[in-house]
Amino acid sequence: MNNREIKIEEIISNKEYGKQRKDRRKEIINFKKNRRLDIGPVVSLYFESRSTMLYQIQEMGYVEQISNEELQLELDSYNSLVPNGKELIATMMIEIDDPLRRKNFLSRLGGIEEKVKLIIGDAEILAEAEKDLDRTTADGKASAVHFLHFLFTDELINKFKNYSNSLQIVIDHFYYGHLAIVSDEIRKSLSKEFS
């Protein structure tokens, strides 16, 4: 059980949220600036937090006019994407605008969610894909969206916070091999998930 889970009492009414929506949007855009990492030309990781999930739930409830009873089902799903203090969680997006190109590209990327790792100095953390549903079809087509968990020990958290250790994220898939170095700004923002 994650003690950082979002509770239904924290969700404000759609009417109240409508009054705050513009300001909340500005806040979350500013917050997310240092939580996105592009890996190669078409893959991006968006690192989640309690704040991003609360915003997502509140926004969905507002746009879709979901009642509090229905929102509890959404909370049950989204709470698995709230980091628990010993992990980083990222939404991996494969972003290709052209529909035909996207379809062809995704058809070769089956299993990409199992080929992502975070490297801190000489230590590696292989991402664990969310098990809510299979995001690679039997014929090898990947979904454009994946949810990844990077699980940390206390020792790895200390390495992460020590800026003398290099920090990079690698995708090592046969059809998509790319590496991205994590900037100090992103690292500082992500370090807050461990406090």
Side-chain angles (χ1 to χ4, degrees):
M1 171 100 177
N2 184 350
N3 64 0
R4 297 179 180 204
E5 284 185 352
I6 298 164
K7 307 282 190 287
I8 194 77
E9 308 84 63
E10 297 175 75
I11 308 298
I12 61 175
S13 71
N14 285 332
K15 182 178 180 184
E16 185 58 34
Y17 182 70
K19 296 174 190 173
Q20 302 176 17
R21 190 174 184 219
K22 189 175 176 184
D23 290 335
R24 292 256 189 124
R25 181 172 163 74
K26 278 184 195 171
E27 286 171 19
I28 205 72
I29 287 171
N30 190 47
F31 176 74
K32 285 179 157 185
K33 270 189 220 169
N34 290 318
R35 297 184 77 89
R36 174 187 170 146
L37 182 68
D38 295 327
I39 306 171
V42 299
V43 175
S44 298
L45 293 186
Y46 297 86
F47 286 92
E48 304 298 354
S49 72
R50 193 174 195 282
S51 299
T52 62
M53 286 299 101
L54 182 58
Y55 174 80
Q56 185 73 28
I57 294 164
Q58 193 73 67
E59 186 69 15
M60 185 178 44
Y62 180 81
V63 171
E64 297 179 17
Q65 293 297 300
I66 297 174
S67 69
N68 266 14
E69 296 77 36
E70 295 168 306
L71 265 180
Q72 186 58 57
L73 295 172
E74 299 302 329
L75 277 172
D76 294 342
S77 296
Y78 279 97
N79 268 325
S80 69
L81 300 176
V82 176
N84 64 15
K86 291 238 182 185
E87 66 183 336
L88 294 175
I89 299 175
T91 301
M92 180 171 74
M93 308 273 293
I94 302 168
E95 301 170 301
I96 302 170
D97 290 336
D98 179 79
L100 182 59
R101 185 171 164 250
R102 180 175 53 246
K103 181 182 176 198
N104 289 336
F105 199 71
L106 290 174
S107 72
R108 297 191 315 263
L109 289 184
I112 191 170
E113 69 277 15
E114 298 168 1
K115 302 291 185 182
V116 183
K117 59 186 166 188
L118 188 146
I119 302 173
I120 314 164
D122 59 356
E124 285 187 8
I125 302 172
L126 185 64
E128 293 185 16
E130 186 83 3
K131 303 287 189 233
D132 58 338
L133 55 102
D134 193 358
R135 296 188 185 270
T136 293
T137 62
D139 61 356
K141 180 180 182 283
S143 169
V145 180
H146 300 268
F147 302 104
L148 306 177
H149 296 253
F150 298 91
L151 307 178
F152 284 72
T153 62
D154 290 338
E155 180 185 354
L156 288 171
I157 291 170
N158 289 333
K159 283 187 176 209
F160 187 94
K161 291 180 175 183
N162 181 346
Y163 284 58
S164 68
N165 291 314
S166 63
L167 182 60
Q168 52 196 333
I169 296 185
V170 175
I171 299 176
D172 189 18
H173 188 277
F174 184 79
Y175 290 107
Y176 197 85
H178 291 279
L179 173 152
I181 295 171
V182 180
S183 71
D184 287 352
E185 291 80 15
I186 292 175
R187 192 173 192 163
K188 182 178 178 186
S189 179
L190 299 183
S191 289
K192 294 174 183 164
E193 297 309 321
F194 300 126
S195 53

